[in-house]
Amino acid sequence: LVVNLRSRCTTGHTSHVMEDDDEIDAILSGADDRDAAEEEELAVAARSIPGLSLFPAFLTPQEQHALLSDVLHEWSFDSDGSNQAMVFGSSLPGWAKALSSKIQDATNDDSSGTGTGFDQLIANCYEAHEGIAQHVDLAQFKDGIAGVSLASPCVMVFSPCGDCDCGKAGGQREAGAFQHIDACPSLSREVPVLLRPGSLYYLRGDARWKWAHRIDQQQPVQSFNGREIRREWRLSITMRRMVAVDQRPCRGNDKVR
């Protein structure tokens, strides 16, 4: 199943078709300026969140170019429509299957236990002022969630929610947990994580089930350990594994996140 197929991409505030590699090169140019101090800061952040793995240089600039080109030629994100495309199961395109294999190799993890890799992909397009609400991914997805960032850096903020009803042991969370997550007293603790273009984050165990994550909205300029992080147009790819229908908890009216 493929949802929200489009042929346009929004950059800045103008919707247009990406017709050549020069435009993609322009998006990627200057997007990656990490240094040794930043690498250590990311390592400290990862150590403070059990189950979080960070791969700051997961994709080379050439691989970023190829992946961004593949995504934008397959789908699109129009300023007058959805900023999200979803694919399930056998509809995963070849480049997505290759990305799935690369993620499994990097994380050394097959949480599905079948060796079949990921079977759900979401691609999201974000303007500089856009973000994502604080949430824990739905229990219809298995342990082991991967996120790849392209085109622009941003800061994702993690907060623990494992000591309240927001996170259930073993990932069996109750339907409706998302409505209450902003009221969780544990969320006052925050761990910022910088996501550079070409980076991969991977959530398993506590990081997947007991920590909420968000990207603040209305903040085109963010801060990471005292450094200014300027956000531009950004593309994210999230890959997950579906739980078998007969094994899923009741989801109520929860939105897919």
Side-chain angles (χ1 to χ4, degrees):
L1 174 64
V2 180
V3 184
N4 291 348
L5 298 189
R6 297 173 179 271
S7 60
R8 294 182 182 273
C9 163
T10 302
T11 56
H13 296 285
T14 304
S15 178
H16 67 283
V17 178
M18 285 272 183
E19 294 184 339
D20 57 53
D21 289 344
D22 289 341
E23 292 185 75
I24 295 175
D25 286 334
I27 291 175
L28 292 175
S29 64
D32 184 0
D33 57 358
R34 64 176 63 92
D35 56 29
E38 182 179 295
E39 298 279 353
E40 176 58 26
E41 290 162 356
L42 289 174
V44 171
R47 288 195 294 269
S48 67
I49 304 175
L52 172 63
S53 298
L54 297 174
F55 303 84
F58 176 65
L59 297 176
T60 67
Q62 293 77 17
E63 289 172 327
Q64 294 175 52
H65 181 287
L67 182 56
L68 189 58
S69 178
D70 285 336
V71 173
L72 295 181
H73 283 88
E74 182 118 20
W75 306 312
S76 79
F77 312 93
D78 195 312
S79 59
D80 296 324
S82 174
N83 68 346
Q84 183 181 89
M86 288 187 286
V87 193
F88 297 85
S90 61
S91 297
L92 285 176
W95 58 262
K97 294 176 182 177
L99 181 62
S100 172
S101 295
K102 185 176 176 65
I103 291 171
Q104 283 185 277
D105 289 343
T107 60
N108 192 31
D109 185 39
D110 174 23
S111 296
S112 67
T114 64
T116 56
F118 298 94
D119 56 10
Q120 195 255 9
L121 177 149
I122 297 181
N124 283 290
C125 164
Y126 298 96
E127 297 292 343
H129 64 281
E130 294 178 323
I132 54 176
Q134 191 152 247
H135 70 282
V136 175
D137 288 56
L138 286 170
Q140 71 188 68
F141 301 109
K142 294 183 179 182
D143 196 37
I145 294 176
V148 176
S149 294
L150 295 170
S152 173
C154 77
V155 177
M156 179 175 282
V157 180
F158 288 80
S159 295
C161 61
D163 295 328
C164 65
D165 288 339
C166 296
K168 297 296 181 181
Q172 298 302 310
R173 299 185 307 107
E174 294 177 349
F178 290 120
Q179 278 85 31
H180 305 292
I181 201 163
D182 288 330
C184 172
S186 300
L187 294 171
S188 58
R189 180 188 173 196
E190 298 183 341
V191 178
V193 172
L194 178 61
L195 303 178
R196 288 285 187 188
S199 66
L200 164 70
Y201 68 83
Y202 195 68
L203 310 178
R204 69 187 112 190
D206 285 1
R208 188 266 183 266
W209 299 109
K210 296 184 178 182
W211 286 72
H213 55 279
R214 73 176 193 270
I215 297 174
D216 290 329
Q217 302 184 56
Q218 305 301 327
Q219 289 189 8
V221 179
Q222 296 177 294
S223 176
F224 178 71
N225 288 350
R227 287 199 295 279
E228 184 178 279
I229 305 298
R230 186 168 297 277
R231 295 164 59 188
E232 303 291 345
W233 181 89
R234 174 177 172 266
L235 183 77
S236 73
I237 298 173
T238 304
M239 302 198 76
R240 304 182 279 200
R241 302 177 179 95
M242 303 289 293
V243 174
V245 174
D246 59 356
Q247 297 175 359
R248 295 180 192 173
C250 176
R251 298 198 309 271
N253 294 318
D254 283 345
K255 295 180 180 179
V256 174
R257 291 183 184 272

